[in-house]
Amino acid sequence: MRVYYAQRAHRLYAYEPSVGEYREFRVNRIREARMLPDKFSPGTHIERLSPARVRLNSKTFLAYGRTIIQDPQAAVSRLPDGGAIVEGRVVSVFWTVRDLASLGPEAEVLGGPELKSEFLRFLRATLGKYS
């Protein structure tokens, strides 16, 4: 369905017929691949991606731009302070949370119910290790 880059590795998000669900694979660990006879239409699968909405401060937006969300069609709304709101869909909530957490307070997760709840769970679990 999609190849993207996250956590210093190229990843493939694809349907795995043997388990009947979409999964994420690290490209460098794929040993064998073959083309299936089925036709693929990305538009029919886009609803499986999770929505994401993130506010970046001006320095972080300058450094990352829309690439903080792995969606090539991510929308950018510039803010008067030089920052921006980036909105799109992500393949992996797991890796998006970790990418956003690495930015610290320079990024704010505004939306995507799954993304926001997983981000809060991740931060609480991290804080719990140091409390």
Tab-separated table of all heavy atoms in Angstrom, residues 19-46:
chain	number	residue	atom	x	y	z
A	19	VAL	N	-2.702	-13.585	7.245
A	19	VAL	CA	-3.336	-13.208	8.512
A	19	VAL	C	-4.564	-12.327	8.294
A	19	VAL	O	-5.267	-12.000	9.234
A	19	VAL	CB	-2.348	-12.500	9.465
A	19	VAL	CG1	-1.280	-13.452	9.946
A	19	VAL	CG2	-1.733	-11.287	8.825
A	20	GLY	N	-4.780	-11.896	7.050
A	20	GLY	CA	-5.965	-11.123	6.719
A	20	GLY	C	-5.980	-9.704	7.256
A	20	GLY	O	-7.034	-9.166	7.581
A	21	GLU	N	-4.808	-9.075	7.346
A	21	GLU	CA	-4.766	-7.695	7.827
A	21	GLU	C	-3.573	-6.950	7.244
A	21	GLU	O	-2.669	-7.552	6.675
A	21	GLU	CB	-4.740	-7.628	9.349
A	21	GLU	CG	-3.525	-8.270	9.975
A	21	GLU	CD	-3.584	-8.258	11.501
A	21	GLU	OE1	-4.667	-8.471	12.074
A	21	GLU	OE2	-2.525	-8.042	12.106
A	22	TYR	N	-3.599	-5.630	7.410
A	22	TYR	CA	-2.491	-4.799	6.962
A	22	TYR	C	-1.415	-4.803	8.029
A	22	TYR	O	-1.693	-4.736	9.214
A	22	TYR	CB	-2.963	-3.370	6.691
A	22	TYR	CG	-3.797	-3.295	5.451
A	22	TYR	CD1	-5.145	-3.580	5.489
A	22	TYR	CD2	-3.224	-2.986	4.231
A	22	TYR	CE1	-5.916	-3.545	4.345
A	22	TYR	CE2	-3.981	-2.939	3.076
A	22	TYR	CZ	-5.331	-3.226	3.142
A	22	TYR	OH	-6.081	-3.201	2.005
A	23	ARG	N	-0.167	-4.872	7.574
A	23	ARG	CA	0.961	-4.917	8.503
A	23	ARG	C	2.085	-4.021	7.999
A	23	ARG	O	2.143	-3.675	6.833
A	23	ARG	CB	1.496	-6.337	8.625
A	23	ARG	CG	0.516	-7.298	9.264
A	23	ARG	CD	1.171	-8.020	10.381
A	23	ARG	NE	0.205	-8.768	11.162
A	23	ARG	CZ	0.397	-9.995	11.559
A	23	ARG	NH1	1.484	-10.642	11.243
A	23	ARG	NH2	-0.513	-10.592	12.311
A	24	GLU	N	2.990	-3.735	8.911
A	24	GLU	CA	4.149	-2.920	8.588
A	24	GLU	C	5.377	-3.828	8.531
A	24	GLU	O	5.560	-4.666	9.401
A	24	GLU	CB	4.317	-1.877	9.682
A	24	GLU	CG	5.469	-0.960	9.482
A	24	GLU	CD	5.570	0.010	10.640
A	24	GLU	OE1	4.892	1.032	10.597
A	24	GLU	OE2	6.314	-0.294	11.580
A	25	PHE	N	6.199	-3.645	7.496
A	25	PHE	CA	7.397	-4.460	7.311
A	25	PHE	C	8.591	-3.540	7.097
A	25	PHE	O	8.489	-2.547	6.390
A	25	PHE	CB	7.262	-5.359	6.083
A	25	PHE	CG	6.057	-6.238	6.093
A	25	PHE	CD1	4.863	-5.803	5.534
A	25	PHE	CD2	6.110	-7.492	6.674
A	25	PHE	CE1	3.746	-6.615	5.541
A	25	PHE	CE2	4.997	-8.307	6.686
A	25	PHE	CZ	3.800	-7.867	6.120
A	26	ARG	N	9.728	-3.870	7.691
A	26	ARG	CA	10.966	-3.138	7.389
A	26	ARG	C	11.487	-3.662	6.067
A	26	ARG	O	11.684	-4.867	5.894
A	26	ARG	CB	11.988	-3.333	8.500
A	26	ARG	CG	11.613	-2.489	9.707
A	26	ARG	CD	12.654	-2.360	10.714
A	26	ARG	NE	13.976	-2.064	10.163
A	26	ARG	CZ	15.019	-1.829	10.926
A	26	ARG	NH1	14.905	-1.831	12.233
A	26	ARG	NH2	16.197	-1.578	10.399
A	27	VAL	N	11.727	-2.766	5.140
A	27	VAL	CA	12.128	-3.147	3.784
A	27	VAL	C	13.424	-3.949	3.795
A	27	VAL	O	13.554	-4.935	3.063
A	27	VAL	CB	12.243	-1.893	2.888
A	27	VAL	CG1	12.857	-2.234	1.542
A	27	VAL	CG2	10.868	-1.262	2.705
A	28	ASN	N	14.375	-3.586	4.642
A	28	ASN	CA	15.660	-4.296	4.646
A	28	ASN	C	15.558	-5.714	5.213
A	28	ASN	O	16.513	-6.468	5.137
A	28	ASN	CB	16.716	-3.497	5.413
A	28	ASN	CG	16.396	-3.346	6.880
A	28	ASN	OD1	15.225	-3.229	7.259
A	28	ASN	ND2	17.410	-3.321	7.714
A	29	ARG	N	14.412	-6.082	5.744
A	29	ARG	CA	14.251	-7.439	6.276
A	29	ARG	C	13.404	-8.341	5.373
A	29	ARG	O	13.188	-9.506	5.687
A	29	ARG	CB	13.611	-7.379	7.665
A	29	ARG	CG	14.533	-6.742	8.677
A	29	ARG	CD	13.934	-6.776	10.045
A	29	ARG	NE	14.856	-6.163	10.993
A	29	ARG	CZ	14.510	-5.781	12.203
A	29	ARG	NH1	13.284	-5.961	12.629
A	29	ARG	NH2	15.390	-5.232	13.000
A	30	ILE	N	12.933	-7.817	4.272
A	30	ILE	CA	12.122	-8.613	3.347
A	30	ILE	C	13.044	-9.530	2.559
A	30	ILE	O	13.996	-9.078	1.927
A	30	ILE	CB	11.302	-7.701	2.405
A	30	ILE	CG1	10.300	-6.890	3.231
A	30	ILE	CG2	10.590	-8.535	1.345
A	30	ILE	CD1	9.539	-5.846	2.425
A	31	ARG	N	12.767	-10.815	2.611
A	31	ARG	CA	13.610	-11.801	1.929
A	31	ARG	C	13.056	-12.195	0.566
A	31	ARG	O	13.787	-12.633	-0.311
A	31	ARG	CB	13.740	-13.055	2.788
A	31	ARG	CG	14.494	-12.809	4.060
A	31	ARG	CD	14.697	-14.096	4.801
A	31	ARG	NE	15.280	-13.826	6.108
A	31	ARG	CZ	15.052	-14.529	7.174
A	31	ARG	NH1	14.266	-15.583	7.115
A	31	ARG	NH2	15.617	-14.225	8.315
A	32	GLU	N	11.740	-12.093	0.422
A	32	GLU	CA	11.126	-12.533	-0.827
A	32	GLU	C	9.853	-11.724	-1.058
A	32	GLU	O	9.139	-11.402	-0.117
A	32	GLU	CB	10.771	-14.014	-0.724
A	32	GLU	CG	10.179	-14.606	-1.968
A	32	GLU	CD	9.831	-16.081	-1.783
A	32	GLU	OE1	10.380	-16.724	-0.883
A	32	GLU	OE2	8.998	-16.555	-2.558
A	33	ALA	N	9.591	-11.404	-2.298
A	33	ALA	CA	8.371	-10.683	-2.656
A	33	ALA	C	7.911	-11.164	-4.018
A	33	ALA	O	8.715	-11.606	-4.841
A	33	ALA	CB	8.633	-9.188	-2.687
A	34	ARG	N	6.602	-11.093	-4.242
A	34	ARG	CA	6.070	-11.444	-5.553
A	34	ARG	C	4.839	-10.598	-5.817
A	34	ARG	O	4.169	-10.156	-4.888
A	34	ARG	CB	5.743	-12.928	-5.650
A	34	ARG	CG	4.687	-13.397	-4.685
A	34	ARG	CD	4.490	-14.917	-4.762
A	34	ARG	NE	3.740	-15.388	-3.634
A	34	ARG	CZ	2.412	-15.422	-3.568
A	34	ARG	NH1	1.694	-15.032	-4.583
A	34	ARG	NH2	1.803	-15.867	-2.488
A	35	MET	N	4.576	-10.373	-7.073
A	35	MET	CA	3.418	-9.584	-7.478
A	35	MET	C	2.183	-10.488	-7.448
A	35	MET	O	2.239	-11.635	-7.864
A	35	MET	CB	3.603	-9.031	-8.891
A	35	MET	CG	4.741	-8.032	-8.994
A	35	MET	SD	4.484	-6.537	-8.030
A	35	MET	CE	3.157	-5.788	-8.916
A	36	LEU	N	1.103	-9.944	-6.956
A	36	LEU	CA	-0.165	-10.670	-6.951
A	36	LEU	C	-0.978	-10.274	-8.176
A	36	LEU	O	-0.820	-9.165	-8.693
A	36	LEU	CB	-0.937	-10.359	-5.670
A	36	LEU	CG	-0.253	-10.786	-4.366
A	36	LEU	CD1	-1.043	-10.302	-3.156
A	36	LEU	CD2	-0.106	-12.292	-4.321
A	37	PRO	N	-1.868	-11.129	-8.620
A	37	PRO	CA	-2.663	-10.797	-9.804
A	37	PRO	C	-3.740	-9.741	-9.513
A	37	PRO	O	-4.280	-9.151	-10.429
A	37	PRO	CB	-3.299	-12.135	-10.192
A	37	PRO	CG	-3.327	-12.919	-8.930
A	37	PRO	CD	-2.126	-12.477	-8.140
A	38	ASP	N	-4.035	-9.488	-8.250
A	38	ASP	CA	-5.078	-8.526	-7.901
A	38	ASP	C	-4.665	-7.106	-8.284
A	38	ASP	O	-3.508	-6.734	-8.148
A	38	ASP	CB	-5.364	-8.551	-6.397
A	38	ASP	CG	-5.745	-9.933	-5.909
A	38	ASP	OD1	-6.201	-10.739	-6.738
A	38	ASP	OD2	-5.583	-10.188	-4.715
A	39	LYS	N	-5.643	-6.332	-8.706
A	39	LYS	CA	-5.377	-4.930	-8.982
A	39	LYS	C	-5.455	-4.166	-7.672
A	39	LYS	O	-6.247	-4.495	-6.792
A	39	LYS	CB	-6.384	-4.379	-9.981
A	39	LYS	CG	-6.188	-4.949	-11.354
A	39	LYS	CD	-7.054	-4.254	-12.358
A	39	LYS	CE	-6.750	-4.852	-13.719
A	39	LYS	NZ	-7.375	-4.136	-14.778
A	40	PHE	N	-4.629	-3.155	-7.547
A	40	PHE	CA	-4.572	-2.373	-6.318
A	40	PHE	C	-5.029	-0.950	-6.585
A	40	PHE	O	-4.598	-0.333	-7.550
A	40	PHE	CB	-3.149	-2.366	-5.768
A	40	PHE	CG	-2.983	-1.480	-4.578
A	40	PHE	CD1	-3.487	-1.862	-3.352
A	40	PHE	CD2	-2.357	-0.263	-4.694
A	40	PHE	CE1	-3.348	-1.050	-2.250
A	40	PHE	CE2	-2.199	0.560	-3.597
A	40	PHE	CZ	-2.708	0.163	-2.370
A	41	SER	N	-5.883	-0.456	-5.732
A	41	SER	CA	-6.340	0.926	-5.831
A	41	SER	C	-6.111	1.601	-4.489
A	41	SER	O	-6.813	1.303	-3.516
A	41	SER	CB	-7.823	0.954	-6.193
A	41	SER	OG	-8.308	2.256	-6.087
A	42	PRO	N	-5.127	2.485	-4.404
A	42	PRO	CA	-4.844	3.131	-3.121
A	42	PRO	C	-6.056	3.837	-2.526
A	42	PRO	O	-6.248	3.850	-1.335
A	42	PRO	CB	-3.739	4.137	-3.451
A	42	PRO	CG	-3.138	3.666	-4.714
A	42	PRO	CD	-4.218	2.942	-5.452
A	43	GLY	N	-6.896	4.400	-3.363
A	43	GLY	CA	-8.073	5.117	-2.878
A	43	GLY	C	-9.004	4.254	-2.062
A	43	GLY	O	-9.634	4.721	-1.111
A	44	THR	N	-9.108	2.979	-2.390
A	44	THR	CA	-10.012	2.103	-1.648
A	44	THR	C	-9.444	1.709	-0.293
A	44	THR	O	-10.161	1.245	0.567
A	44	THR	CB	-10.332	0.816	-2.439
A	44	THR	OG1	-9.120	0.098	-2.653
A	44	THR	CG2	-10.996	1.134	-3.750
A	45	HIS	N	-8.135	1.901	-0.111
A	45	HIS	CA	-7.499	1.505	1.141
A	45	HIS	C	-7.166	2.677	2.053
A	45	HIS	O	-6.763	2.471	3.186
A	45	HIS	CB	-6.221	0.714	0.844
A	45	HIS	CG	-6.489	-0.540	0.084
A	45	HIS	ND1	-6.983	-1.664	0.679
A	45	HIS	CD2	-6.360	-0.827	-1.226
A	45	HIS	CE1	-7.148	-2.609	-0.236
A	45	HIS	NE2	-6.780	-2.125	-1.394
A	46	ILE	N	-7.338	3.903	1.571
A	46	ILE	CA	-6.908	5.069	2.333
A	46	ILE	C	-7.631	5.182	3.676
A	46	ILE	O	-7.084	5.686	4.647
A	46	ILE	CB	-7.055	6.371	1.501
A	46	ILE	CG1	-6.241	7.502	2.109
A	46	ILE	CG2	-8.503	6.774	1.354
A	46	ILE	CD1	-4.782	7.375	1.897
